[in-house]
Amino acid sequence: MRPRRSRPWPPRSLADAQPTTAFEWIGGEPRVRELVDRFYDLMDLEPAYVRLRAAHGASLESARDKLFWFLCGWLGGPDHYISRFGHPRLRARHLPFRIGIAERDEWLACMAQAMTETGVDPQLQARLAESFAGTADWMRNVGG
């Protein structure tokens, strides 16, 4: 008979498990909501994001929900956005808004600040920043 080993809790396989999606890595819906809320709060608070804030109209509530729903699915979690609106068609949905280099850079700076302030893991933050930069650049619809 083998001696009984004490087992660590949680089991080693769970404790050492790496997240399989960015959604898990960031911490699921509560942390995505925290990130999105900080992102939009910064638009209201920081003069550096005044152009970005102005593009969103009087209320940010609809934008908060839509970005939250979108990011959940984009990060590998539930497809809340798609279940409500269908395919995101990001570029087409943003064509009515003037998006040039300055607007792109404001969006990226605001998101970077929100990720830092909400404590997104620096390694995940770097990966997300790279993906956000590619998407934000693709969204540009005016030169300069």
Side-chain angles (χ1 to χ4, degrees):
M1 183 173 197
R2 289 179 152 175
R4 193 165 193 208
R5 289 191 224 168
S6 65
R7 294 184 178 200
W9 187 254
R12 188 167 193 62
S13 61
L14 291 178
D16 294 338
Q18 295 296 314
T20 58
T21 65
F23 181 77
E24 290 176 6
W25 193 353
I26 204 167
E29 286 189 12
R31 297 279 289 141
V32 174
R33 176 54 79 178
E34 181 183 0
L35 173 63
V36 167
D37 284 344
R38 187 62 188 154
F39 175 75
Y40 285 106
D41 289 348
L42 287 168
M43 280 188 216
D44 276 335
L45 297 170
E46 298 289 337
Y49 309 130
V50 68
R51 183 183 347 225
L52 183 60
R53 176 60 184 90
H56 285 81
S59 174
L60 294 173
E61 293 313 304
S62 176
R64 282 178 195 266
D65 287 341
K66 287 178 179 174
L67 183 59
F68 167 72
W69 294 329
F70 173 77
L71 284 180
C72 281
W74 184 78
L75 292 167
D79 280 325
H80 298 309
Y81 187 93
I82 290 173
S83 69
R84 286 169 173 83
F85 305 107
H87 190 281
R89 299 183 347 237
L90 286 182
R91 188 159 165 78
R93 292 185 195 271
H94 287 81
L95 280 175
F97 307 100
R98 181 191 189 286
I99 303 173
I101 292 170
E103 292 79 10
R104 174 203 65 193
D105 291 350
E106 263 188 45
W107 194 98
L108 291 170
C110 189
M111 182 55 76
Q113 184 175 347
M115 287 192 293
T116 298
E117 291 184 10
T118 58
V120 173
D121 178 280
Q123 189 177 4
L124 176 59
Q125 190 174 146
R127 289 182 182 188
L128 292 178
E130 186 177 334
S131 292
F132 286 144
T135 300
D137 195 58
W138 176 67
M139 301 293 278
R140 289 178 40 218
N141 54 31
V142 296

